Amino acid sequence: MTQLEHARKVYQGYGADVDKAMAVLQEVPVSVHCWQGDDVTGFDCRQALSGGIQTTGNYPGRARTPEELMQDLDKVFSMVPGKKKLNLHASYAMSEEGDMADRDAIGPKHFAKWVLFAKERGMGLDFNPTFFSHPMVKDNLTLSSPDEEVRRFWVEHGRRCIEISQYFAEETGIPCVLNIWIPDGYKDIPADRLGPRARFKQSLDEILSVPYDKEKVYVTLESKVFGIGLESYTVGSAEFCLSYSDYKGITPLMDNGHYHPTEMVSDKISSMLLFHDKIALHVTRPVRWDSDHVVLFDDETKEICKEIVRNDALGRVFIATDYFDASINRVAAWVMGLRNVQKALLFALLQPNGRMKEMQDSCDMTGLMVLQEELKTAPFGEVWDAYCEGQGVPADGEWMDMVRSYEAEVQLKRR
Ligand code: RNT
Ligand code: ZN
């Protein structure tokens, strides 16, 4: 009996179908954030990272140009199983024959090379306006600024990004998720909490008044609890973003680093699914704060994926990664986090969900605990290895050597 045959039998005994799990997983798109490769720098104005987010570490080999980032992405794609989309930020705009534009003037042509890159790989593109790392961020404010010139600049940026997103969807034939996140907030206690939120609401209304095809562009809105240097007040709080999403009929996005440390996104998913057609996630790993560590195959990542799978919501949740570690090899960081999301999804698909619900409903909590514990050590690794092999990517134990060679041959030569 091969290892996979053995695993198949064990899982069958628990009431789970290994082959079905693998077949389902290969159709689930995960949106790969482009910003792990260059520490969220981008290519447009290359300002220091602002917005209360921080990349820490100084590991050599950062991608410095679009070409280097694309090269790294290809390396990553060759080591990650499953269906991928590429998630770009507006700051990754590329000049067309030296014709670079500021954020309030970018258009499809500044992303033509990314479209080509995605099309050649049969991939969809997702997008994010970049409301940080730019001189027009004044006093840590963008869409909520009381300075009308600043606010208008960023509204125009948002409107441009909708146009670019629709272009992505039309060119690739795959809908584009456009995620809006602003860093706006105050370090210290504000006197007016309503004003900035009212202006943010007005700005979003103005951005979303651009006509766009809702079958092609899914606009999502990401909330946050606080940022570095913005500890006392966040304009785009959870209540604001959830309420705004409902009011406007757009999609709420939850980043699991954006809540108080004992609040779990895995517990929020079911409620959100009851009231929204679609929801979006940024999968990350917060360590004591929104630190954006590499995603691990840890309890919360597994629990998030279980909630998506057992609520039959794989088609209703936009899954994207969002982390940036500059203290280890960046390609390895990318690959590890993405493989772990895939692993957690596979793990969730291998739970006998129907049987477990029945146990809960018949109050067999003892049996349920035993089953959940035993499933932790069921022969999961064998299924994972088989899945990787079927997807033509290296198994565990094989890919790190590939990263080491790539580091020596490519990344360390970038000096
Ligand atoms: C910041 C948000 C946001 C960013 C990216 C770069 O706290 O999580 O999603 O990480 O847009
Ligand atoms: Zn995020």
Side-chain angles (χ1 to χ4, degrees):
M1 202 174 353
T2 65
Q3 287 197 318
L4 179 61
E5 281 162 3
H6 171 248
R8 214 179 249 137
K9 235 178 119 190
V10 174
Y11 275 107
Q12 213 167 43
Y14 283 118
D17 184 336
V18 162
D19 299 287
K20 191 173 159 212
M22 292 197 282
V24 170
L25 184 56
Q26 62 181 7
E27 298 304 326
V28 178
V30 172
S31 193
V32 176
H33 61 308
C34 76
W35 50 91
Q36 164 58 53
D38 72 332
D39 308 342
V40 209
T41 309
F43 307 118
D44 66 344
C45 56
R46 295 173 191 265
Q47 301 263 308
L49 183 59
S50 76
I53 55 178
Q54 193 120 64
T55 318
T56 53
N58 198 21
Y59 201 86
R62 187 179 80 81
R64 299 158 304 176
T65 61
E67 293 70 29
E68 289 179 356
L69 193 69
M70 287 175 180
Q71 189 184 14
D72 289 356
L73 277 165
D74 271 334
K75 194 72 207 171
V76 170
F77 295 155
S78 74
M79 292 185 271
V80 175
K83 192 182 249 184
K84 295 140 199 120
K85 290 179 88 181
L86 176 61
N87 201 3
L88 292 173
H89 243 284
S91 53
Y92 290 76
M94 290 161 74
S95 70
E96 251 319 272
E97 271 94 53
D99 169 20
M100 202 41 204
D102 205 354
R103 299 236 179 117
D104 64 340
I106 46 170
K109 69 175 178 186
H110 301 105
F111 293 88
K113 288 182 185 133
W114 283 115
V115 164
L116 193 65
F117 179 81
K119 275 175 148 176
E120 282 170 357
R121 286 150 190 80
M123 241 173 234
L125 287 168
D126 291 329
F127 201 44
N128 305 259
T130 311
F131 296 103
F132 53 82
S133 307
H134 189 279
M136 276 305 269
V137 181
K138 298 266 169 74
D139 306 315
N140 302 312
L141 301 173
T142 63
L143 293 179
S144 75
S145 175
D147 179 335
E148 199 48 21
E149 194 193 331
V150 170
R151 201 184 67 79
R152 291 242 54 89
F153 177 89
W154 291 110
V155 165
E156 192 51 37
H157 177 57
R159 295 165 68 100
R160 299 278 171 155
C161 287
I162 291 190
E163 185 196 337
I164 293 165
S165 298
Q166 183 148 333
Y167 156 73
F168 284 175
E170 280 162 2
E171 287 290 324
T172 62
I174 299 168
C176 172
V177 175
L178 171 70
N179 177 49
I180 299 178
W181 169 73
I182 61 162
D184 299 31
Y186 288 101
K187 180 184 175 84
D188 245 309
I189 304 163
D192 175 16
R193 289 185 170 86
L194 186 66
R197 288 185 174 133
R199 288 189 290 271
F200 184 26
K201 176 172 180 281
Q202 186 195 335
S203 300
L204 288 170
D205 285 349
E206 288 167 11
I207 291 172
L208 296 172
S209 70
V210 164
Y212 66 96
D213 185 338
K214 297 199 170 64
E215 304 279 300
K216 292 180 181 161
V217 179
Y218 286 90
V219 177
T220 67
L221 184 61
E222 178 179 13
S223 66
K224 190 159 180 175
V225 63
F226 77 91
I228 300 174
L230 306 164
E231 289 86 357
S232 298
Y233 171 78
T234 299
V235 179
S237 60
E239 295 72 19
F240 178 96
C241 291
L242 195 48
S243 306
Y244 189 89
S245 300
D246 291 341
Y247 146 79
K248 205 67 176 182
I250 59 169
T251 301
L253 184 146
M254 297 188 290
D255 178 312
N256 60 305
H258 291 192
Y259 298 87
H260 287 283
T262 60
E263 247 185 296
M264 293 295 153
V265 162
S266 55
D267 185 58
K268 299 176 188 295
I269 291 172
S270 48
S271 305
M272 300 289 273
L273 286 173
L274 280 174
F275 297 99
H276 300 90
D277 178 32
K278 298 247 188 308
I279 64 168
L281 298 178
H282 271 183
V283 183
T284 188
R285 180 164 55 105
V287 179
R288 305 187 196 288
W289 62 288
D290 182 33
S291 58
D292 289 293
H293 279 61
V294 176
V295 173
L296 300 183
F297 186 55
D298 59 11
D299 284 349
E300 177 59 358
T301 310
K302 281 186 248 184
E303 206 62 22
I304 286 173
C305 293
K306 284 187 209 165
E307 284 297 307
I308 301 171
V309 169
R310 61 192 169 200
N311 295 319
D312 202 16
L314 280 167
R316 293 172 57 200
V317 182
F318 298 119
I319 306 170
T321 45
D322 180 16
Y323 53 83
F324 23 100
D325 193 336
S327 74
I328 58 176
N329 180 293
R330 291 171 185 79
V331 167
W334 240 327
V335 174
M336 217 177 331
L338 288 162
R339 284 175 71 100
N340 284 332
V341 172
Q342 296 287 343
K343 265 188 189 172
L345 286 166
L346 184 62
F347 191 81
L349 286 160
L350 287 170
Q351 307 290 299
N353 291 307
R355 185 175 160 210
M356 288 162 81
K357 274 183 202 176
E358 274 168 31
M359 290 170 102
Q360 176 177 322
D361 290 345
S362 59
C363 264
D364 180 11
M365 301 311 278
T366 315
L368 182 57
M369 186 192 281
V370 171
L371 180 57
Q372 296 199 86
E373 283 304 291
E374 288 188 1
L375 282 161
K376 287 182 183 172
T377 48
F380 174 71
E382 283 81 337
V383 186
W384 170 251
D385 285 346
Y387 183 66
C388 288
E389 195 192 319
Q391 289 281 308
V393 303
D396 283 3
E398 291 172 1
W399 64 270
M400 190 53 210
D401 281 342
M402 296 165 66
V403 173
R404 284 191 217 285
S405 318
Y406 186 73
E407 176 175 285
E409 285 154 26
V410 179
Q411 292 173 294
L412 292 183
K413 296 198 171 135
R414 294 172 183 166
R415 283 183 196 279

